[in-house]
Every structure is written in structure tokens, then in C-alpha cells.
Amino acid sequence: MLTGWFLWFILLWVVFLLVMMSIGGFFMFRKFLKRLPKEDGKSELDWQEYYIEQTRHLWGEEEKALLEELVRPVPELFRDVARQKIAGKIGELALKEQAPRITRDLLIRGYIMATPKRDHKFLIRTLQAKNIDLAPYQHLLESR
């Protein structure tokens, strides 16, 4: 029969393992859901890859640098995923609008649409530091 501190150690270890497995399972399940095909036969991640491939030649060095600066606060482990999601949304906008190249305006609108509202604080600070007017994007920032 287990008694004393060893029993508490075992119980805490079991709780710790269950919590860690639940967290990992949650993120794996989210990735699985994004890989499931939609009605059109392509998944959310397939569409992101498609938009990025179709607009890869439209990106300039200045826009790539701004995107890198905007994803800098994302932890390094998740930065590639965030960059791909944002670039996919920017590519989608560029294709819809038939843009000849990715512009700063397109990049900012795509960033706002691809990210949750809590991430917009960093965007606002960065744009203000670069003296970029936020007025054209105010309706997007408020609607999200």
C-alpha cells in the first residue's frame, strides 16, 4: 500500500501527464481539423499553400522585411506557422484584387484579417513607430 509523500508524488505525476497530453492533443487535433478537406476538396492549409505559391513572385524585399518584423513577437516555435497563415491571407487578397505586386497596404490588411484581435496591439505600435497612418485600416481593426 502506498502511503505518505510517494502517494502524492504519483498522483501529481499522473495529473501532470494528463494535462500535458491534453494540451498536446488539443494542438494536434487543431492541425488535424485544418487538414480535413472542405466542400471544394481542399483543406484550409492547402488553400494557404496555393495562395502563397501563386503570389510568391509578387513579394518585394521591403514587404518581406515588414512581414518578418510583424511576426517577431510570435514565439519562435510558432513563427513559421504564423508567417504562413498571414502570407496566405495576403496572397488571397492579392489574387482577389488582381494586384500586380504585394503592397504595404495589402500586407497590413492581410495581417489584420489573418490574426486575432489581441495581436493587433503590436501591429498598431509598429505602424505608429514607422509613421504609417492607421486611418485606412480603422474599420478592419474595429470589426475584428
Side-chain angles (χ1 to χ4, degrees):
M1 183 85 189
L2 297 175
T3 59
W5 67 271
F6 194 67
L7 175 65
W8 285 107
F9 174 76
I10 296 293
L11 288 175
L12 287 174
W13 185 250
V14 167
V15 169
F16 174 77
L17 286 177
L18 285 174
V19 167
M20 290 295 122
M21 288 172 43
S22 298
I23 291 170
F26 170 75
F27 285 108
M28 287 175 60
F29 188 68
R30 277 185 43 191
K31 188 77 163 183
F32 169 74
L33 288 178
K34 287 183 178 183
R35 269 287 169 209
L36 284 179
K38 306 290 184 212
E39 299 83 30
D40 60 4
K42 288 190 175 189
S43 71
E44 191 176 315
L45 295 177
D46 292 337
W47 279 112
Q48 279 180 12
E49 292 168 10
Y50 171 79
Y51 291 132
I52 291 171
E53 266 316 301
Q54 294 297 311
T55 59
R56 188 175 301 276
H57 65 284
L58 301 178
W59 286 83
E61 291 303 315
E62 185 179 322
E63 287 76 23
K64 287 179 186 177
L66 180 58
L67 179 61
E68 283 302 315
E69 187 172 346
L70 291 175
V71 297
R72 190 169 5 121
V74 176
E76 195 169 339
L77 183 61
F78 305 110
R79 199 171 292 160
D80 288 337
V81 174
R83 185 183 306 112
Q84 183 172 359
K85 180 179 180 182
I86 295 167
K89 181 53 85 173
I90 294 166
E92 179 183 355
L93 288 173
L95 288 178
K96 279 183 183 175
E97 298 175 10
Q98 298 177 347
R101 66 183 193 86
I102 302 294
T103 61
R104 185 173 62 190
D105 174 63
L106 210 55
L107 193 142
I108 294 169
R109 285 189 292 134
Y111 181 91
I112 292 170
M113 295 171 79
T115 57
K117 190 172 183 113
R118 68 177 180 270
D119 294 346
H120 296 169
K121 293 175 198 163
F122 181 77
L123 171 71
I124 292 169
R125 277 196 312 260
T126 303
L127 295 181
Q128 287 173 341
K130 291 181 167 288
N131 295 322
I132 297 173
D133 184 27
L134 288 170
Y137 314 108
Q138 205 60 41
H139 70 284
L140 288 173
L141 290 168
E142 292 169 357
S143 67
R144 304 253 332 137

PDB file of all heavy atoms in Angstrom, residues 6-28:
ATOM      1  N   PHE A   6       5.079   9.499  -1.262  1.00  0.00           N
ATOM      2  CA  PHE A   6       5.150   8.762  -2.523  1.00  0.00           C
ATOM      3  C   PHE A   6       3.789   8.720  -3.221  1.00  0.00           C
ATOM      4  O   PHE A   6       3.692   8.841  -4.435  1.00  0.00           O
ATOM      5  CB  PHE A   6       5.686   7.347  -2.278  1.00  0.00           C
ATOM      6  CG  PHE A   6       6.095   6.652  -3.537  1.00  0.00           C
ATOM      7  CD1 PHE A   6       7.179   7.109  -4.273  1.00  0.00           C
ATOM      8  CD2 PHE A   6       5.390   5.552  -4.011  1.00  0.00           C
ATOM      9  CE1 PHE A   6       7.554   6.476  -5.447  1.00  0.00           C
ATOM     10  CE2 PHE A   6       5.757   4.927  -5.176  1.00  0.00           C
ATOM     11  CZ  PHE A   6       6.838   5.385  -5.903  1.00  0.00           C
ATOM     12  N   LEU A   7       2.713   8.568  -2.445  1.00  0.00           N
ATOM     13  CA  LEU A   7       1.361   8.581  -2.991  1.00  0.00           C
ATOM     14  C   LEU A   7       1.063   9.929  -3.639  1.00  0.00           C
ATOM     15  O   LEU A   7       0.535  10.000  -4.746  1.00  0.00           O
ATOM     16  CB  LEU A   7       0.338   8.276  -1.895  1.00  0.00           C
ATOM     17  CG  LEU A   7      -1.127   8.368  -2.316  1.00  0.00           C
ATOM     18  CD1 LEU A   7      -1.453   7.308  -3.351  1.00  0.00           C
ATOM     19  CD2 LEU A   7      -2.023   8.234  -1.108  1.00  0.00           C
ATOM     20  N   TRP A   8       1.439  11.009  -2.951  1.00  0.00           N
ATOM     21  CA  TRP A   8       1.222  12.352  -3.503  1.00  0.00           C
ATOM     22  C   TRP A   8       2.061  12.581  -4.761  1.00  0.00           C
ATOM     23  O   TRP A   8       1.613  13.216  -5.714  1.00  0.00           O
ATOM     24  CB  TRP A   8       1.521  13.436  -2.455  1.00  0.00           C
ATOM     25  CG  TRP A   8       0.421  13.506  -1.441  1.00  0.00           C
ATOM     26  CD1 TRP A   8       0.453  13.091  -0.152  1.00  0.00           C
ATOM     27  CD2 TRP A   8      -0.895  14.009  -1.668  1.00  0.00           C
ATOM     28  NE1 TRP A   8      -0.744  13.286   0.458  1.00  0.00           N
ATOM     29  CE2 TRP A   8      -1.598  13.868  -0.461  1.00  0.00           C
ATOM     30  CE3 TRP A   8      -1.547  14.545  -2.765  1.00  0.00           C
ATOM     31  CZ2 TRP A   8      -2.919  14.250  -0.333  1.00  0.00           C
ATOM     32  CZ3 TRP A   8      -2.862  14.937  -2.635  1.00  0.00           C
ATOM     33  CH2 TRP A   8      -3.540  14.791  -1.427  1.00  0.00           C
ATOM     34  N   PHE A   9       3.274  12.053  -4.752  1.00  0.00           N
ATOM     35  CA  PHE A   9       4.133  12.164  -5.931  1.00  0.00           C
ATOM     36  C   PHE A   9       3.500  11.477  -7.137  1.00  0.00           C
ATOM     37  O   PHE A   9       3.450  12.034  -8.234  1.00  0.00           O
ATOM     38  CB  PHE A   9       5.518  11.570  -5.629  1.00  0.00           C
ATOM     39  CG  PHE A   9       6.411  11.529  -6.839  1.00  0.00           C
ATOM     40  CD1 PHE A   9       7.009  12.690  -7.294  1.00  0.00           C
ATOM     41  CD2 PHE A   9       6.628  10.345  -7.525  1.00  0.00           C
ATOM     42  CE1 PHE A   9       7.828  12.665  -8.415  1.00  0.00           C
ATOM     43  CE2 PHE A   9       7.437  10.304  -8.646  1.00  0.00           C
ATOM     44  CZ  PHE A   9       8.040  11.473  -9.094  1.00  0.00           C
ATOM     45  N   ILE A  10       2.996  10.270  -6.938  1.00  0.00           N
ATOM     46  CA  ILE A  10       2.363   9.510  -8.017  1.00  0.00           C
ATOM     47  C   ILE A  10       1.124  10.253  -8.521  1.00  0.00           C
ATOM     48  O   ILE A  10       0.913  10.386  -9.736  1.00  0.00           O
ATOM     49  CB  ILE A  10       1.994   8.081  -7.558  1.00  0.00           C
ATOM     50  CG1 ILE A  10       3.246   7.276  -7.195  1.00  0.00           C
ATOM     51  CG2 ILE A  10       1.151   7.360  -8.603  1.00  0.00           C
ATOM     52  CD1 ILE A  10       4.147   6.977  -8.372  1.00  0.00           C
ATOM     53  N   LEU A  11       0.297  10.745  -7.623  1.00  0.00           N
ATOM     54  CA  LEU A  11      -0.918  11.466  -8.019  1.00  0.00           C
ATOM     55  C   LEU A  11      -0.581  12.738  -8.804  1.00  0.00           C
ATOM     56  O   LEU A  11      -1.197  13.020  -9.837  1.00  0.00           O
ATOM     57  CB  LEU A  11      -1.767  11.801  -6.797  1.00  0.00           C
ATOM     58  CG  LEU A  11      -2.478  10.623  -6.141  1.00  0.00           C
ATOM     59  CD1 LEU A  11      -3.180  11.062  -4.865  1.00  0.00           C
ATOM     60  CD2 LEU A  11      -3.468   9.990  -7.104  1.00  0.00           C
ATOM     61  N   LEU A  12       0.381  13.493  -8.342  1.00  0.00           N
ATOM     62  CA  LEU A  12       0.788  14.715  -9.047  1.00  0.00           C
ATOM     63  C   LEU A  12       1.378  14.381 -10.418  1.00  0.00           C
ATOM     64  O   LEU A  12       1.138  15.097 -11.394  1.00  0.00           O
ATOM     65  CB  LEU A  12       1.775  15.519  -8.214  1.00  0.00           C
ATOM     66  CG  LEU A  12       1.169  16.231  -7.005  1.00  0.00           C
ATOM     67  CD1 LEU A  12       2.267  16.877  -6.169  1.00  0.00           C
ATOM     68  CD2 LEU A  12       0.150  17.261  -7.440  1.00  0.00           C
ATOM     69  N   TRP A  13       2.151  13.306 -10.472  1.00  0.00           N
ATOM     70  CA  TRP A  13       2.742  12.898 -11.748  1.00  0.00           C
ATOM     71  C   TRP A  13       1.645  12.505 -12.750  1.00  0.00           C
ATOM     72  O   TRP A  13       1.703  12.867 -13.916  1.00  0.00           O
ATOM     73  CB  TRP A  13       3.717  11.742 -11.525  1.00  0.00           C
ATOM     74  CG  TRP A  13       4.435  11.349 -12.764  1.00  0.00           C
ATOM     75  CD1 TRP A  13       4.266  10.191 -13.462  1.00  0.00           C
ATOM     76  CD2 TRP A  13       5.404  12.101 -13.485  1.00  0.00           C
ATOM     77  NE1 TRP A  13       5.076  10.176 -14.565  1.00  0.00           N
ATOM     78  CE2 TRP A  13       5.800  11.354 -14.601  1.00  0.00           C
ATOM     79  CE3 TRP A  13       5.991  13.331 -13.290  1.00  0.00           C
ATOM     80  CZ2 TRP A  13       6.725  11.794 -15.519  1.00  0.00           C
ATOM     81  CZ3 TRP A  13       6.925  13.789 -14.195  1.00  0.00           C
ATOM     82  CH2 TRP A  13       7.285  13.018 -15.304  1.00  0.00           C
ATOM     83  N   VAL A  14       0.647  11.785 -12.306  1.00  0.00           N
ATOM     84  CA  VAL A  14      -0.464  11.389 -13.173  1.00  0.00           C
ATOM     85  C   VAL A  14      -1.210  12.632 -13.668  1.00  0.00           C
ATOM     86  O   VAL A  14      -1.529  12.744 -14.854  1.00  0.00           O
ATOM     87  CB  VAL A  14      -1.413  10.414 -12.429  1.00  0.00           C
ATOM     88  CG1 VAL A  14      -2.719  10.231 -13.182  1.00  0.00           C
ATOM     89  CG2 VAL A  14      -0.729   9.080 -12.203  1.00  0.00           C
ATOM     90  N   VAL A  15      -1.485  13.573 -12.774  1.00  0.00           N
ATOM     91  CA  VAL A  15      -2.171  14.805 -13.169  1.00  0.00           C
ATOM     92  C   VAL A  15      -1.323  15.578 -14.173  1.00  0.00           C
ATOM     93  O   VAL A  15      -1.827  16.062 -15.190  1.00  0.00           O
ATOM     94  CB  VAL A  15      -2.500  15.671 -11.930  1.00  0.00           C
ATOM     95  CG1 VAL A  15      -2.965  17.063 -12.323  1.00  0.00           C
ATOM     96  CG2 VAL A  15      -3.545  14.975 -11.069  1.00  0.00           C
ATOM     97  N   PHE A  16      -0.031  15.681 -13.917  1.00  0.00           N
ATOM     98  CA  PHE A  16       0.876  16.392 -14.827  1.00  0.00           C
ATOM     99  C   PHE A  16       0.862  15.755 -16.223  1.00  0.00           C
ATOM    100  O   PHE A  16       0.756  16.445 -17.234  1.00  0.00           O
ATOM    101  CB  PHE A  16       2.304  16.385 -14.248  1.00  0.00           C
ATOM    102  CG  PHE A  16       3.324  16.952 -15.172  1.00  0.00           C
ATOM    103  CD1 PHE A  16       3.441  18.316 -15.352  1.00  0.00           C
ATOM    104  CD2 PHE A  16       4.182  16.108 -15.883  1.00  0.00           C
ATOM    105  CE1 PHE A  16       4.387  18.841 -16.217  1.00  0.00           C
ATOM    106  CE2 PHE A  16       5.132  16.622 -16.747  1.00  0.00           C
ATOM    107  CZ  PHE A  16       5.235  18.002 -16.910  1.00  0.00           C
ATOM    108  N   LEU A  17       0.970  14.444 -16.274  1.00  0.00           N
ATOM    109  CA  LEU A  17       0.957  13.748 -17.566  1.00  0.00           C
ATOM    110  C   LEU A  17      -0.361  13.948 -18.300  1.00  0.00           C
ATOM    111  O   LEU A  17      -0.372  14.178 -19.521  1.00  0.00           O
ATOM    112  CB  LEU A  17       1.235  12.255 -17.373  1.00  0.00           C
ATOM    113  CG  LEU A  17       2.678  11.886 -17.056  1.00  0.00           C
ATOM    114  CD1 LEU A  17       2.793  10.386 -16.824  1.00  0.00           C
ATOM    115  CD2 LEU A  17       3.598  12.313 -18.176  1.00  0.00           C
ATOM    116  N   LEU A  18      -1.472  13.857 -17.586  1.00  0.00           N
ATOM    117  CA  LEU A  18      -2.772  14.069 -18.224  1.00  0.00           C
ATOM    118  C   LEU A  18      -2.905  15.480 -18.791  1.00  0.00           C
ATOM    119  O   LEU A  18      -3.405  15.665 -19.910  1.00  0.00           O
ATOM    120  CB  LEU A  18      -3.899  13.790 -17.237  1.00  0.00           C
ATOM    121  CG  LEU A  18      -4.170  12.327 -16.924  1.00  0.00           C
ATOM    122  CD1 LEU A  18      -5.213  12.189 -15.820  1.00  0.00           C
ATOM    123  CD2 LEU A  18      -4.617  11.594 -18.171  1.00  0.00           C
ATOM    124  N   VAL A  19      -2.455  16.475 -18.052  1.00  0.00           N
ATOM    125  CA  VAL A  19      -2.526  17.857 -18.526  1.00  0.00           C
ATOM    126  C   VAL A  19      -1.648  18.041 -19.758  1.00  0.00           C
ATOM    127  O   VAL A  19      -2.078  18.623 -20.767  1.00  0.00           O
ATOM    128  CB  VAL A  19      -2.119  18.840 -17.397  1.00  0.00           C
ATOM    129  CG1 VAL A  19      -1.888  20.238 -17.935  1.00  0.00           C
ATOM    130  CG2 VAL A  19      -3.176  18.858 -16.311  1.00  0.00           C
ATOM    131  N   MET A  20      -0.429  17.553 -19.728  1.00  0.00           N
ATOM    132  CA  MET A  20       0.482  17.706 -20.871  1.00  0.00           C
ATOM    133  C   MET A  20      -0.045  16.968 -22.110  1.00  0.00           C
ATOM    134  O   MET A  20       0.033  17.497 -23.224  1.00  0.00           O
ATOM    135  CB  MET A  20       1.883  17.185 -20.523  1.00  0.00           C
ATOM    136  CG  MET A  20       2.626  18.037 -19.525  1.00  0.00           C
ATOM    137  SD  MET A  20       2.968  19.662 -20.211  1.00  0.00           S
ATOM    138  CE  MET A  20       2.177  20.694 -19.029  1.00  0.00           C
ATOM    139  N   MET A  21      -0.584  15.781 -21.921  1.00  0.00           N
ATOM    140  CA  MET A  21      -1.124  15.040 -23.057  1.00  0.00           C
ATOM    141  C   MET A  21      -2.365  15.738 -23.615  1.00  0.00           C
ATOM    142  O   MET A  21      -2.591  15.745 -24.827  1.00  0.00           O
ATOM    143  CB  MET A  21      -1.423  13.599 -22.653  1.00  0.00           C
ATOM    144  CG  MET A  21      -0.147  12.801 -22.452  1.00  0.00           C
ATOM    145  SD  MET A  21      -0.344  11.146 -21.750  1.00  0.00           S
ATOM    146  CE  MET A  21      -1.706  10.462 -22.584  1.00  0.00           C
ATOM    147  N   SER A  22      -3.159  16.348 -22.759  1.00  0.00           N
ATOM    148  CA  SER A  22      -4.344  17.075 -23.215  1.00  0.00           C
ATOM    149  C   SER A  22      -3.959  18.296 -24.029  1.00  0.00           C
ATOM    150  O   SER A  22      -4.557  18.577 -25.074  1.00  0.00           O
ATOM    151  CB  SER A  22      -5.198  17.507 -22.026  1.00  0.00           C
ATOM    152  OG  SER A  22      -5.652  16.398 -21.323  1.00  0.00           O
ATOM    153  N   ILE A  23      -2.968  19.030 -23.572  1.00  0.00           N
ATOM    154  CA  ILE A  23      -2.508  20.212 -24.300  1.00  0.00           C
ATOM    155  C   ILE A  23      -1.952  19.799 -25.665  1.00  0.00           C
ATOM    156  O   ILE A  23      -2.291  20.379 -26.689  1.00  0.00           O
ATOM    157  CB  ILE A  23      -1.459  20.985 -23.479  1.00  0.00           C
ATOM    158  CG1 ILE A  23      -2.125  21.626 -22.262  1.00  0.00           C
ATOM    159  CG2 ILE A  23      -0.765  22.043 -24.330  1.00  0.00           C
ATOM    160  CD1 ILE A  23      -1.154  22.221 -21.265  1.00  0.00           C
ATOM    161  N   GLY A  24      -1.114  18.795 -25.696  1.00  0.00           N
ATOM    162  CA  GLY A  24      -0.563  18.317 -26.962  1.00  0.00           C
ATOM    163  C   GLY A  24      -1.639  17.798 -27.892  1.00  0.00           C
ATOM    164  O   GLY A  24      -1.639  18.070 -29.086  1.00  0.00           O
ATOM    165  N   GLY A  25      -2.590  17.069 -27.341  1.00  0.00           N
ATOM    166  CA  GLY A  25      -3.688  16.547 -28.141  1.00  0.00           C
ATOM    167  C   GLY A  25      -4.543  17.653 -28.724  1.00  0.00           C
ATOM    168  O   GLY A  25      -5.002  17.570 -29.862  1.00  0.00           O
ATOM    169  N   PHE A  26      -4.746  18.713 -27.949  1.00  0.00           N
ATOM    170  CA  PHE A  26      -5.531  19.847 -28.444  1.00  0.00           C
ATOM    171  C   PHE A  26      -4.883  20.447 -29.685  1.00  0.00           C
ATOM    172  O   PHE A  26      -5.549  20.690 -30.701  1.00  0.00           O
ATOM    173  CB  PHE A  26      -5.657  20.907 -27.340  1.00  0.00           C
ATOM    174  CG  PHE A  26      -6.239  22.205 -27.816  1.00  0.00           C
ATOM    175  CD1 PHE A  26      -7.603  22.311 -28.080  1.00  0.00           C
ATOM    176  CD2 PHE A  26      -5.433  23.307 -28.004  1.00  0.00           C
ATOM    177  CE1 PHE A  26      -8.140  23.506 -28.522  1.00  0.00           C
ATOM    178  CE2 PHE A  26      -5.963  24.506 -28.442  1.00  0.00           C
ATOM    179  CZ  PHE A  26      -7.323  24.601 -28.698  1.00  0.00           C
ATOM    180  N   PHE A  27      -3.575  20.705 -29.637  1.00  0.00           N
ATOM    181  CA  PHE A  27      -2.889  21.305 -30.779  1.00  0.00           C
ATOM    182  C   PHE A  27      -2.822  20.342 -31.964  1.00  0.00           C
ATOM    183  O   PHE A  27      -2.937  20.766 -33.120  1.00  0.00           O
ATOM    184  CB  PHE A  27      -1.497  21.797 -30.391  1.00  0.00           C
ATOM    185  CG  PHE A  27      -1.552  23.058 -29.581  1.00  0.00           C
ATOM    186  CD1 PHE A  27      -1.261  23.040 -28.235  1.00  0.00           C
ATOM    187  CD2 PHE A  27      -1.922  24.256 -30.166  1.00  0.00           C
ATOM    188  CE1 PHE A  27      -1.324  24.200 -27.482  1.00  0.00           C
ATOM    189  CE2 PHE A  27      -1.992  25.418 -29.431  1.00  0.00           C
ATOM    190  CZ  PHE A  27      -1.697  25.396 -28.084  1.00  0.00           C
ATOM    191  N   MET A  28      -2.652  19.054 -31.695  1.00  0.00           N
ATOM    192  CA  MET A  28      -2.644  18.087 -32.786  1.00  0.00           C
ATOM    193  C   MET A  28      -4.022  17.992 -33.436  1.00  0.00           C
ATOM    194  O   MET A  28      -4.140  17.898 -34.651  1.00  0.00           O
ATOM    195  CB  MET A  28      -2.205  16.711 -32.270  1.00  0.00           C
ATOM    196  CG  MET A  28      -0.731  16.645 -31.956  1.00  0.00           C
ATOM    197  SD  MET A  28      -0.241  15.082 -31.224  1.00  0.00           S
ATOM    198  CE  MET A  28      -0.681  13.936 -32.481  1.00  0.00           C
TER     199      MET A  28
END
